[in-house]
Amino acid sequence: GPLNTARSLAAPLIVVGGDTLRIATVRRLTDRSAHLVMTGPAGREAYLQGSTEFEPWINLTRVVFAGSCKEYTDLGARALDYRYYRLVLPMRLREWSALPNDRVRLAVDGAEGTECLVRVSEDLVSWADLGTAVIVGGRLELLDLGAATRPSRFYQAVLQP
């Protein structure tokens, strides 16, 4: 049967540019919530995600390390027999470039295997989906073939659940 515990993934390490982010400890509290201690370099940002079946993963909180340690209590774990946790790096729309024939190339940086939805807007109010893809090798590149017919375009990268 299911374990009455909270736990992190077997290898909860993320290494980026020599910096290591990790879930150091996960323990069940007497009220059945889960208390997590995460470590990482000051200023680094990540998202703590939770799942009971490894799919889907839900964002529990945004983590910004002020020092080398960050704590979080997952009150939602009270209603669960178990929950898995992982840290995911945020996606960043890192660069764009104009190409011949009025096309635009976009580059999104993020964690390996992260599913990303890139959206486009002309007014920052109404957004349309440009495309969805999985980040491979830490980067995702997309072409916007519709950029030629628009006077201005704004882009955003959205983490998919």
PDB file of all heavy atoms in Angstrom, residues 29-55:
ATOM      1  N   LEU A  29       5.263  16.293   9.556  1.00  0.00           N
ATOM      2  CA  LEU A  29       5.027  16.892  10.868  1.00  0.00           C
ATOM      3  C   LEU A  29       3.822  16.223  11.536  1.00  0.00           C
ATOM      4  O   LEU A  29       3.078  15.488  10.892  1.00  0.00           O
ATOM      5  CB  LEU A  29       4.806  18.396  10.730  1.00  0.00           C
ATOM      6  CG  LEU A  29       5.957  19.180  10.078  1.00  0.00           C
ATOM      7  CD1 LEU A  29       5.590  20.642   9.948  1.00  0.00           C
ATOM      8  CD2 LEU A  29       7.249  19.010  10.852  1.00  0.00           C
ATOM      9  N   THR A  30       3.623  16.492  12.818  1.00  0.00           N
ATOM     10  CA  THR A  30       2.540  15.845  13.559  1.00  0.00           C
ATOM     11  C   THR A  30       1.167  16.194  13.002  1.00  0.00           C
ATOM     12  O   THR A  30       0.235  15.410  13.122  1.00  0.00           O
ATOM     13  CB  THR A  30       2.598  16.210  15.059  1.00  0.00           C
ATOM     14  OG1 THR A  30       2.559  17.629  15.182  1.00  0.00           O
ATOM     15  CG2 THR A  30       3.847  15.651  15.701  1.00  0.00           C
ATOM     16  N   ASP A  31       1.012  17.355  12.371  1.00  0.00           N
ATOM     17  CA  ASP A  31      -0.280  17.714  11.773  1.00  0.00           C
ATOM     18  C   ASP A  31      -0.431  17.147  10.354  1.00  0.00           C
ATOM     19  O   ASP A  31      -1.353  17.476   9.643  1.00  0.00           O
ATOM     20  CB  ASP A  31      -0.479  19.222  11.767  1.00  0.00           C
ATOM     21  CG  ASP A  31       0.462  19.950  10.822  1.00  0.00           C
ATOM     22  OD1 ASP A  31       1.366  19.315  10.242  1.00  0.00           O
ATOM     23  OD2 ASP A  31       0.289  21.166  10.654  1.00  0.00           O
ATOM     24  N   ARG A  32       0.496  16.280   9.926  1.00  0.00           N
ATOM     25  CA  ARG A  32       0.541  15.589   8.627  1.00  0.00           C
ATOM     26  C   ARG A  32       1.019  16.488   7.477  1.00  0.00           C
ATOM     27  O   ARG A  32       1.072  16.057   6.334  1.00  0.00           O
ATOM     28  CB  ARG A  32      -0.791  14.933   8.279  1.00  0.00           C
ATOM     29  CG  ARG A  32      -1.150  13.799   9.217  1.00  0.00           C
ATOM     30  CD  ARG A  32      -2.331  12.970   8.774  1.00  0.00           C
ATOM     31  NE  ARG A  32      -2.434  12.653   7.362  1.00  0.00           N
ATOM     32  CZ  ARG A  32      -1.784  11.670   6.739  1.00  0.00           C
ATOM     33  NH1 ARG A  32      -0.944  10.910   7.403  1.00  0.00           N
ATOM     34  NH2 ARG A  32      -1.994  11.450   5.459  1.00  0.00           N
ATOM     35  N   SER A  33       1.342  17.741   7.753  1.00  0.00           N
ATOM     36  CA  SER A  33       1.939  18.563   6.711  1.00  0.00           C
ATOM     37  C   SER A  33       3.377  18.087   6.501  1.00  0.00           C
ATOM     38  O   SER A  33       3.906  17.318   7.295  1.00  0.00           O
ATOM     39  CB  SER A  33       1.899  20.043   7.092  1.00  0.00           C
ATOM     40  OG  SER A  33       2.660  20.279   8.250  1.00  0.00           O
ATOM     41  N   ALA A  34       3.984  18.532   5.416  1.00  0.00           N
ATOM     42  CA  ALA A  34       5.366  18.144   5.119  1.00  0.00           C
ATOM     43  C   ALA A  34       6.259  19.372   5.218  1.00  0.00           C
ATOM     44  O   ALA A  34       5.934  20.436   4.695  1.00  0.00           O
ATOM     45  CB  ALA A  34       5.461  17.544   3.724  1.00  0.00           C
ATOM     46  N   HIS A  35       7.385  19.232   5.903  1.00  0.00           N
ATOM     47  CA  HIS A  35       8.340  20.329   6.068  1.00  0.00           C
ATOM     48  C   HIS A  35       9.571  20.011   5.227  1.00  0.00           C
ATOM     49  O   HIS A  35      10.187  18.960   5.389  1.00  0.00           O
ATOM     50  CB  HIS A  35       8.723  20.493   7.538  1.00  0.00           C
ATOM     51  CG  HIS A  35       9.641  21.646   7.759  1.00  0.00           C
ATOM     52  ND1 HIS A  35       9.201  22.957   7.761  1.00  0.00           N
ATOM     53  CD2 HIS A  35      10.978  21.691   7.962  1.00  0.00           C
ATOM     54  CE1 HIS A  35      10.236  23.748   7.969  1.00  0.00           C
ATOM     55  NE2 HIS A  35      11.320  23.011   8.083  1.00  0.00           N
ATOM     56  N   LEU A  36       9.927  20.938   4.332  1.00  0.00           N
ATOM     57  CA  LEU A  36      11.067  20.746   3.445  1.00  0.00           C
ATOM     58  C   LEU A  36      12.136  21.780   3.734  1.00  0.00           C
ATOM     59  O   LEU A  36      11.833  22.934   4.021  1.00  0.00           O
ATOM     60  CB  LEU A  36      10.655  20.901   1.977  1.00  0.00           C
ATOM     61  CG  LEU A  36       9.700  19.863   1.418  1.00  0.00           C
ATOM     62  CD1 LEU A  36       8.269  20.270   1.642  1.00  0.00           C
ATOM     63  CD2 LEU A  36       9.965  19.657  -0.053  1.00  0.00           C
ATOM     64  N   VAL A  37      13.382  21.364   3.642  1.00  0.00           N
ATOM     65  CA  VAL A  37      14.525  22.262   3.716  1.00  0.00           C
ATOM     66  C   VAL A  37      15.276  22.118   2.393  1.00  0.00           C
ATOM     67  O   VAL A  37      15.638  21.009   1.999  1.00  0.00           O
ATOM     68  CB  VAL A  37      15.454  21.926   4.905  1.00  0.00           C
ATOM     69  CG1 VAL A  37      16.680  22.826   4.890  1.00  0.00           C
ATOM     70  CG2 VAL A  37      14.696  22.044   6.218  1.00  0.00           C
ATOM     71  N   MET A  38      15.455  23.245   1.712  1.00  0.00           N
ATOM     72  CA  MET A  38      16.142  23.264   0.428  1.00  0.00           C
ATOM     73  C   MET A  38      17.393  24.120   0.539  1.00  0.00           C
ATOM     74  O   MET A  38      17.406  25.086   1.292  1.00  0.00           O
ATOM     75  CB  MET A  38      15.203  23.833  -0.643  1.00  0.00           C
ATOM     76  CG  MET A  38      13.937  23.007  -0.826  1.00  0.00           C
ATOM     77  SD  MET A  38      12.579  23.924  -1.575  1.00  0.00           S
ATOM     78  CE  MET A  38      11.995  24.879  -0.180  1.00  0.00           C
ATOM     79  N   THR A  39      18.427  23.757  -0.199  1.00  0.00           N
ATOM     80  CA  THR A  39      19.670  24.525  -0.173  1.00  0.00           C
ATOM     81  C   THR A  39      20.030  24.977  -1.580  1.00  0.00           C
ATOM     82  O   THR A  39      19.752  24.291  -2.563  1.00  0.00           O
ATOM     83  CB  THR A  39      20.828  23.705   0.424  1.00  0.00           C
ATOM     84  OG1 THR A  39      21.034  22.544  -0.374  1.00  0.00           O
ATOM     85  CG2 THR A  39      20.538  23.299   1.860  1.00  0.00           C
ATOM     86  N   GLY A  40      20.647  26.145  -1.644  1.00  0.00           N
ATOM     87  CA  GLY A  40      21.088  26.696  -2.917  1.00  0.00           C
ATOM     88  C   GLY A  40      21.779  28.025  -2.684  1.00  0.00           C
ATOM     89  O   GLY A  40      21.702  28.596  -1.593  1.00  0.00           O
ATOM     90  N   PRO A  41      22.455  28.548  -3.681  1.00  0.00           N
ATOM     91  CA  PRO A  41      23.186  29.810  -3.536  1.00  0.00           C
ATOM     92  C   PRO A  41      22.238  31.004  -3.459  1.00  0.00           C
ATOM     93  O   PRO A  41      21.157  30.998  -4.042  1.00  0.00           O
ATOM     94  CB  PRO A  41      24.045  29.860  -4.792  1.00  0.00           C
ATOM     95  CG  PRO A  41      23.310  29.025  -5.783  1.00  0.00           C
ATOM     96  CD  PRO A  41      22.612  27.958  -5.009  1.00  0.00           C
ATOM     97  N   ALA A  42      22.637  32.006  -2.723  1.00  0.00           N
ATOM     98  CA  ALA A  42      21.838  33.227  -2.563  1.00  0.00           C
ATOM     99  C   ALA A  42      21.514  33.823  -3.927  1.00  0.00           C
ATOM    100  O   ALA A  42      22.368  33.883  -4.814  1.00  0.00           O
ATOM    101  CB  ALA A  42      22.590  34.236  -1.707  1.00  0.00           C
ATOM    102  N   GLY A  43      20.253  34.220  -4.089  1.00  0.00           N
ATOM    103  CA  GLY A  43      19.812  34.847  -5.322  1.00  0.00           C
ATOM    104  C   GLY A  43      19.268  33.893  -6.364  1.00  0.00           C
ATOM    105  O   GLY A  43      18.597  34.306  -7.301  1.00  0.00           O
ATOM    106  N   ARG A  44      19.542  32.593  -6.222  1.00  0.00           N
ATOM    107  CA  ARG A  44      19.059  31.614  -7.207  1.00  0.00           C
ATOM    108  C   ARG A  44      17.560  31.402  -7.016  1.00  0.00           C
ATOM    109  O   ARG A  44      17.046  31.421  -5.922  1.00  0.00           O
ATOM    110  CB  ARG A  44      19.808  30.293  -7.054  1.00  0.00           C
ATOM    111  CG  ARG A  44      19.408  29.224  -8.032  1.00  0.00           C
ATOM    112  CD  ARG A  44      19.679  29.558  -9.468  1.00  0.00           C
ATOM    113  NE  ARG A  44      21.089  29.467  -9.735  1.00  0.00           N
ATOM    114  CZ  ARG A  44      21.641  29.771 -10.900  1.00  0.00           C
ATOM    115  NH1 ARG A  44      20.890  30.197 -11.872  1.00  0.00           N
ATOM    116  NH2 ARG A  44      22.920  29.662 -11.080  1.00  0.00           N
ATOM    117  N   GLU A  45      16.843  31.223  -8.102  1.00  0.00           N
ATOM    118  CA  GLU A  45      15.392  31.040  -8.087  1.00  0.00           C
ATOM    119  C   GLU A  45      15.037  29.665  -8.643  1.00  0.00           C
ATOM    120  O   GLU A  45      15.681  29.171  -9.569  1.00  0.00           O
ATOM    121  CB  GLU A  45      14.747  32.119  -8.953  1.00  0.00           C
ATOM    122  CG  GLU A  45      13.267  32.013  -9.092  1.00  0.00           C
ATOM    123  CD  GLU A  45      12.694  33.055 -10.045  1.00  0.00           C
ATOM    124  OE1 GLU A  45      13.458  33.877 -10.581  1.00  0.00           O
ATOM    125  OE2 GLU A  45      11.482  33.019 -10.255  1.00  0.00           O
ATOM    126  N   ALA A  46      14.001  29.044  -8.074  1.00  0.00           N
ATOM    127  CA  ALA A  46      13.489  27.765  -8.563  1.00  0.00           C
ATOM    128  C   ALA A  46      12.022  27.659  -8.168  1.00  0.00           C
ATOM    129  O   ALA A  46      11.514  28.486  -7.409  1.00  0.00           O
ATOM    130  CB  ALA A  46      14.278  26.604  -7.969  1.00  0.00           C
ATOM    131  N   TYR A  47      11.350  26.653  -8.689  1.00  0.00           N
ATOM    132  CA  TYR A  47       9.980  26.360  -8.288  1.00  0.00           C
ATOM    133  C   TYR A  47       9.970  24.998  -7.610  1.00  0.00           C
ATOM    134  O   TYR A  47      10.567  24.048  -8.120  1.00  0.00           O
ATOM    135  CB  TYR A  47       9.034  26.346  -9.494  1.00  0.00           C
ATOM    136  CG  TYR A  47       8.768  27.724 -10.023  1.00  0.00           C
ATOM    137  CD1 TYR A  47       9.540  28.260 -11.035  1.00  0.00           C
ATOM    138  CD2 TYR A  47       7.767  28.498  -9.479  1.00  0.00           C
ATOM    139  CE1 TYR A  47       9.316  29.541 -11.507  1.00  0.00           C
ATOM    140  CE2 TYR A  47       7.532  29.784  -9.935  1.00  0.00           C
ATOM    141  CZ  TYR A  47       8.312  30.290 -10.948  1.00  0.00           C
ATOM    142  OH  TYR A  47       8.090  31.559 -11.399  1.00  0.00           O
ATOM    143  N   LEU A  48       9.300  24.920  -6.456  1.00  0.00           N
ATOM    144  CA  LEU A  48       9.098  23.643  -5.777  1.00  0.00           C
ATOM    145  C   LEU A  48       7.808  23.060  -6.318  1.00  0.00           C
ATOM    146  O   LEU A  48       6.765  23.722  -6.294  1.00  0.00           O
ATOM    147  CB  LEU A  48       9.012  23.831  -4.266  1.00  0.00           C
ATOM    148  CG  LEU A  48       8.708  22.560  -3.472  1.00  0.00           C
ATOM    149  CD1 LEU A  48       9.832  21.536  -3.616  1.00  0.00           C
ATOM    150  CD2 LEU A  48       8.449  22.898  -2.019  1.00  0.00           C
ATOM    151  N   GLN A  49       7.890  21.835  -6.832  1.00  0.00           N
ATOM    152  CA  GLN A  49       6.720  21.168  -7.370  1.00  0.00           C
ATOM    153  C   GLN A  49       6.427  19.905  -6.573  1.00  0.00           C
ATOM    154  O   GLN A  49       7.332  19.310  -5.985  1.00  0.00           O
ATOM    155  CB  GLN A  49       6.925  20.788  -8.841  1.00  0.00           C
ATOM    156  CG  GLN A  49       7.056  21.976  -9.763  1.00  0.00           C
ATOM    157  CD  GLN A  49       7.156  21.563 -11.208  1.00  0.00           C
ATOM    158  OE1 GLN A  49       7.624  20.481 -11.536  1.00  0.00           O
ATOM    159  NE2 GLN A  49       6.700  22.435 -12.100  1.00  0.00           N
ATOM    160  N   GLY A  50       5.162  19.499  -6.576  1.00  0.00           N
ATOM    161  CA  GLY A  50       4.755  18.286  -5.890  1.00  0.00           C
ATOM    162  C   GLY A  50       3.873  17.431  -6.779  1.00  0.00           C
ATOM    163  O   GLY A  50       3.191  17.935  -7.675  1.00  0.00           O
ATOM    164  N   SER A  51       3.904  16.111  -6.532  1.00  0.00           N
ATOM    165  CA  SER A  51       3.084  15.170  -7.288  1.00  0.00           C
ATOM    166  C   SER A  51       2.887  13.910  -6.461  1.00  0.00           C
ATOM    167  O   SER A  51       3.758  13.537  -5.675  1.00  0.00           O
ATOM    168  CB  SER A  51       3.761  14.807  -8.614  1.00  0.00           C
ATOM    169  OG  SER A  51       2.997  13.838  -9.311  1.00  0.00           O
ATOM    170  N   THR A  52       1.768  13.243  -6.654  1.00  0.00           N
ATOM    171  CA  THR A  52       1.564  11.951  -5.991  1.00  0.00           C
ATOM    172  C   THR A  52       1.821  10.791  -6.939  1.00  0.00           C
ATOM    173  O   THR A  52       2.033   9.681  -6.491  1.00  0.00           O
ATOM    174  CB  THR A  52       0.129  11.830  -5.431  1.00  0.00           C
ATOM    175  OG1 THR A  52      -0.799  12.041  -6.483  1.00  0.00           O
ATOM    176  CG2 THR A  52      -0.096  12.829  -4.311  1.00  0.00           C
ATOM    177  N   GLU A  53       1.817  11.030  -8.218  1.00  0.00           N
ATOM    178  CA  GLU A  53       2.012   9.960  -9.209  1.00  0.00           C
ATOM    179  C   GLU A  53       3.060  10.310 -10.265  1.00  0.00           C
ATOM    180  O   GLU A  53       3.076   9.671 -11.315  1.00  0.00           O
ATOM    181  CB  GLU A  53       0.673   9.645  -9.903  1.00  0.00           C
ATOM    182  CG  GLU A  53      -0.424   9.220  -8.964  1.00  0.00           C
ATOM    183  CD  GLU A  53      -0.132   7.906  -8.251  1.00  0.00           C
ATOM    184  OE1 GLU A  53       0.590   7.058  -8.819  1.00  0.00           O
ATOM    185  OE2 GLU A  53      -0.618   7.741  -7.120  1.00  0.00           O
ATOM    186  N   PHE A  54       3.870  11.313 -10.028  1.00  0.00           N
ATOM    187  CA  PHE A  54       4.881  11.821 -10.965  1.00  0.00           C
ATOM    188  C   PHE A  54       4.277  12.516 -12.176  1.00  0.00           C
ATOM    189  O   PHE A  54       4.986  13.027 -13.002  1.00  0.00           O
ATOM    190  CB  PHE A  54       5.840  10.724 -11.424  1.00  0.00           C
ATOM    191  CG  PHE A  54       6.686  10.185 -10.306  1.00  0.00           C
ATOM    192  CD1 PHE A  54       6.457   8.914  -9.813  1.00  0.00           C
ATOM    193  CD2 PHE A  54       7.676  10.939  -9.732  1.00  0.00           C
ATOM    194  CE1 PHE A  54       7.215   8.413  -8.778  1.00  0.00           C
ATOM    195  CE2 PHE A  54       8.440  10.451  -8.698  1.00  0.00           C
ATOM    196  CZ  PHE A  54       8.212   9.179  -8.219  1.00  0.00           C
ATOM    197  N   GLU A  55       2.990  12.528 -12.327  1.00  0.00           N
ATOM    198  CA  GLU A  55       2.265  13.272 -13.358  1.00  0.00           C
ATOM    199  C   GLU A  55       0.881  13.524 -12.835  1.00  0.00           C
ATOM    200  O   GLU A  55       0.237  12.574 -12.398  1.00  0.00           O
ATOM    201  CB  GLU A  55       2.184  12.502 -14.672  1.00  0.00           C
ATOM    202  CG  GLU A  55       3.478  12.457 -15.447  1.00  0.00           C
ATOM    203  CD  GLU A  55       3.926  13.805 -15.981  1.00  0.00           C
ATOM    204  OE1 GLU A  55       3.062  14.668 -16.253  1.00  0.00           O
ATOM    205  OE2 GLU A  55       5.131  14.013 -16.117  1.00  0.00           O
TER     206      GLU A  55
END
